[in-house]
Amino acid sequence: MEFQLPIIIFLFIFSCCYLSRKWLKIRVVSELKKVPSPQGSWPIIGHLHLLNKAGKLPHHVLGAMADKYGPIFMLNLGSRPALVVSNWEMTKESMCINDAAAASRPELSVSKNFSYNFAMFGLASYSPYWRDMRKITHLELLSIPRVDQVKSVMLSEVMTSLKELYTRWGGKKKEMEEISVEMKRWFGDVTVNMLLKIIIGKRCVGPNAVKEDENDALELQMRIRESFHLMGEGLLRDYIPLVAKLGFNGHVKAMEKIAKRIDVVLERWLLEHKRKRSANDFDQKDGDFMDSLISLCHAKELPSYYDQDTIIKATTLNVIAGGTESSTVTLTWAMSLLLNNPLALEKAYQELDQVVGRDRQLKESDIDNLVYLQAIVKETMRLYPAGPLLGPREFYKDCFVAGYFVPKGTQLIPNIWKIQTDPRVWPDPFEFKPERFLTTHKDVGLKGNNFELIPFGTGRRGCPGITFGLQMVHFALAGFLHSFNVKSPTDKAIDMREHFGMANEKVVPLNVLVTPRLPLHLHGPIVM
């Protein structure tokens, strides 16, 4: 008993101190200024039912809430608190001033399956692994010097796709002067060819592509798109633990199947690269992005948090998924807006004629001089950002935003669409006016330094591929408009309804009529 008594006394004192500090912390937190929260939170599900309004997109619903409750408010998404910010001031507070606290990602089951258990750095939590892989990807692919090196590859792929489109027109010109093109598919094929040429060293879609390669590329496109839809919808099991306990996991199983099909394609490409490297004719100078990752693996410069093959496949998927969907969505919206605004389309054609002319093809150096076309892209991203709510962030430590206490574990949801249509910043906010970026807003850029326009996000979790993605969009849009006249097949306005997901897709396919606008010899010979 004499030996046990001091231990009992120590444990008693320690417990009292611990409980006292815990009670004091709870009391202090309870007295802190709390973020306003909309009425209507229900037990268990919180505010989730408010986001599920028939016919209304979540970013529009949250925008209406901001009009009522202000530019910063807190939602209870089941068991998860979420901070919604809706103007540039609150964006700066949460994503810049508190960047270090809001640099993580929520670990959602739908993200887990798509990302090789979070080996995909874009969906990984804030950690040394995330920092290492973001740095490696930036150096090997996304830095300005690396983008400058692959510009010629991008433009070459665009030109090849334009020649293929010209061949389609040539094959039907005896029947009609115009041919119909579904632009989402065409832009999707162009962007995936640009990316795959740079990432795995070959174009995979088109009449001259190897059938197996084309099947793999189209499979990957489709599965990424399905994954984005599932991630945009979210899973109730991630927000309501009771759903998971009751075994409702249909979406999880669907995502697992999609992930397996994606892995089959990536595994095949990885094995091809390994076989090529084992051959005597492999030249590292001709290597692509996947080759760079394999070389880093051999040099033991990749992190050891995951299996090395998993890191290579996850990082490759990260770049492909991030580049194809956002670029395709942006290009489709840009063309839709131009068709609904014929004066802007005519100005784009006039600029192309002045800068490039019709006696030669587009060159890399022309893009810097196509200022109106760049303004079109900016205005498109302002009105129809590819991710209206960005990817969800999470505060991994307590902080204060605009004087309000935000506890660790809170999700951060920036309503990019609401921020970029704020009438205080953007006169006639819902009008398509590219000219604003040549006059009143000429100094507003896309790189996250101007918080009133952040389609790529900002801060540590901002998209690292801004320069890369913009080059792809500029080349594809400029190349298409320079080479073809385009018009709507009807006199009706283009349907601009949106389908919400991780990528903000257009609901109705964009079918247009095209005819060549350059001398026929510049398009190249028709391949019959």
Side-chain angles (χ1 to χ4, degrees):
M1 287 294 294
E2 291 180 358
F3 176 74
Q4 293 177 343
L5 185 60
I7 296 177
I8 294 172
I9 293 173
F10 171 78
L11 292 173
F12 175 76
I13 295 173
F14 177 80
S15 299
C16 289
C17 291
Y18 175 79
L19 292 173
S20 176
R21 291 180 64 184
K22 196 78 172 176
W23 176 82
L24 182 62
K25 183 178 180 180
I26 292 172
R27 182 177 176 183
V28 169
V29 169
S30 66
E31 293 175 355
L32 294 173
K33 187 179 178 183
K34 294 184 178 179
V35 184
S37 182
Q39 296 177 350
S41 178
W42 290 0
I44 302 179
I45 68 171
H47 294 99
L48 282 172
H49 66 290
L50 298 180
L51 301 181
N52 192 29
K53 292 188 175 182
K56 291 192 176 182
L57 297 164
H59 53 283
H60 291 169
V61 173
L62 293 175
M65 286 186 184
D67 292 336
K68 185 175 182 180
Y69 298 103
I72 180 170
F73 57 88
M74 187 77 77
L75 296 178
N76 295 315
L77 303 181
S79 61
R80 293 175 178 264
L83 182 74
V84 182
V85 296
S86 305
N87 68 12
W88 74 265
E89 294 93 341
M90 294 301 103
T91 301
K92 183 177 181 180
E93 279 270 349
S94 58
M95 300 174 73
C96 178
I97 296 173
N98 284 287
D99 181 30
S104 198
R105 295 281 195 209
E107 293 192 351
L108 306 176
S109 56
V110 68
S111 303
K112 177 181 178 180
N113 286 286
F114 180 65
S115 64
Y116 286 90
N117 195 22
F118 304 110
M120 181 190 289
F121 73 91
L123 295 176
S125 300
Y126 185 70
S127 62
Y129 173 77
W130 170 78
R131 290 194 296 270
D132 289 345
M133 290 311 303
R134 182 182 170 100
K135 180 179 179 180
I136 287 170
T137 305
H138 176 78
L139 291 174
E140 297 296 333
L141 181 66
L142 303 177
S143 66
I144 292 176
R146 289 292 291 127
V147 173
D148 287 340
Q149 290 177 16
V150 299
K151 279 182 182 179
S152 60
V153 178
M154 293 183 185
L155 186 56
S156 174
E157 288 305 314
V158 171
M159 291 305 170
T160 299
S161 296
L162 291 169
K163 288 178 181 178
E164 291 170 351
L165 183 55
Y166 172 70
T167 296
R168 276 185 55 198
W169 171 83
K172 294 186 177 182
K173 66 179 181 179
K174 292 182 180 179
E175 302 173 19
M176 59 185 77
E177 292 188 357
E178 302 163 332
I179 62 168
S180 178
V181 180
E182 201 284 282
M183 293 309 302
K184 177 182 173 182
R185 177 168 183 177
W186 192 83
F187 281 135
D189 290 348
V190 173
T191 54
V192 80
N193 274 329
M194 278 193 275
L195 271 169
L196 293 184
K197 185 68 174 181
I198 294 164
I199 293 170
I200 65 167
K202 56 184 176 181
R203 78 188 317 261
C204 295
V205 180
N208 296 319
V210 177
K211 193 62 178 177
E212 186 180 32
D213 290 341
E214 184 166 51
N215 290 339
D216 283 346
L218 295 177
E219 171 81 356
L220 194 62
Q221 274 183 302
M222 184 61 66
R223 302 312 155 206
I224 288 172
R225 199 160 289 159
E226 290 176 358
S227 300
F228 276 30
H229 283 309
L230 287 174
M231 286 190 283
E233 292 173 1
L235 297 181
L236 285 178
R237 63 182 289 119
D238 287 320
Y239 298 96
I240 305 175
L242 179 62
V243 172
K245 291 180 180 179
L246 293 175
F248 294 105
N249 59 354
H251 277 59
V252 174
K253 289 184 177 179
M255 182 57 87
E256 288 174 350
K257 290 180 181 178
I258 292 170
K260 287 179 181 178
R261 296 178 74 169
I262 288 173
D263 183 64
V264 168
V265 175
L266 294 171
E267 180 69 19
R268 185 179 294 125
W269 289 343
L270 179 57
L271 290 175
E272 285 178 3
H273 277 68
K274 288 183 175 181
R275 285 194 295 268
K276 181 180 177 182
R277 291 176 68 89
S278 65
N280 294 328
D281 60 347
F282 175 74
D283 187 349
Q284 184 61 44
K285 294 180 181 179
D286 298 327
D288 48 54
F289 179 62
M290 186 174 272
D291 284 319
S292 298
L293 293 177
I294 295 172
S295 295
L296 291 172
C297 174
H298 289 170
K300 298 183 179 180
E301 294 181 19
L302 289 182
S304 58
Y305 302 96
Y306 295 88
D307 171 80
Q308 300 291 281
D309 284 359
T310 297
I311 292 176
I312 293 171
K313 290 187 289 186
T315 307
T316 300
L317 178 60
N318 198 142
V319 177
I320 294 173
T324 53
E325 283 301 286
S326 60
S327 298
T328 301
V329 163
T330 298
L331 286 162
T332 306
W333 285 121
M335 188 55 60
S336 301
L337 287 163
L338 287 171
L339 290 169
N340 277 345
N341 295 270
L343 290 179
L345 178 59
E346 183 57 32
K347 286 184 180 180
Y349 279 134
Q350 289 174 2
E351 181 182 62
L352 284 162
D353 287 345
Q354 291 169 4
V355 173
V356 185
R358 300 199 195 187
D359 57 352
R360 66 175 176 87
Q361 293 181 331
L362 184 75
K363 297 189 298 188
E364 294 173 35
S365 57
D366 292 325
I367 298 299
D368 289 341
N369 298 318
L370 295 172
V371 293
Y372 190 71
L373 183 129
Q374 293 180 51
I376 288 169
V377 172
K378 282 185 179 181
E379 183 73 339
T380 299
M381 291 183 171
R382 184 187 72 81
L383 285 168
Y384 293 91
L389 302 177
L390 290 181
R393 298 192 185 194
E394 185 174 272
F395 292 91
Y396 74 97
K397 59 183 178 181
D398 297 344
C399 69
F400 289 87
V401 176
Y404 296 108
F405 175 70
V406 179
K408 172 185 176 181
T410 301
Q411 285 191 31
L412 173 61
I413 303 177
N415 191 342
I416 303 303
W417 171 81
K418 184 67 172 175
I419 293 163
Q420 296 181 173
T421 54
D422 186 341
R424 298 177 308 141
V425 179
W426 308 99
D428 302 318
F430 300 106
E431 296 294 321
F432 179 68
K433 294 183 175 181
E435 292 79 8
R436 70 176 89 231
F437 289 104
L438 304 178
T439 54
T440 56
H441 294 74
K442 64 181 179 180
D443 296 324
V444 177
L446 291 166
K447 297 194 175 179
N449 300 318
N450 304 102
F451 301 101
E452 60 269 43
L453 184 68
I454 51 170
F456 292 97
T458 185
R460 302 180 195 198
R461 280 289 180 173
C463 175
I466 296 175
T467 303
F468 191 98
L470 282 176
Q471 284 295 340
M472 290 196 353
V473 169
H474 290 153
F475 280 142
L477 185 61
F480 178 75
L481 290 178
H482 182 240
S483 296
F484 288 92
N485 290 307
V486 58
K487 70 178 184 179
S488 175
T490 71
D491 294 331
K492 296 180 180 178
I494 301 298
D495 190 316
M496 302 296 281
R497 283 177 293 168
E498 307 163 65
H499 179 87
F500 181 77
M502 281 289 286
N504 187 28
E505 295 184 65
K506 190 175 177 296
V507 172
V508 180
L510 178 62
N511 291 294
V512 302
L513 299 176
V514 303
T515 52
R517 67 186 300 267
L518 299 179
L520 300 187
H521 71 275
L522 289 179
H523 290 277
I526 294 175
V527 181
M528 301 302 292

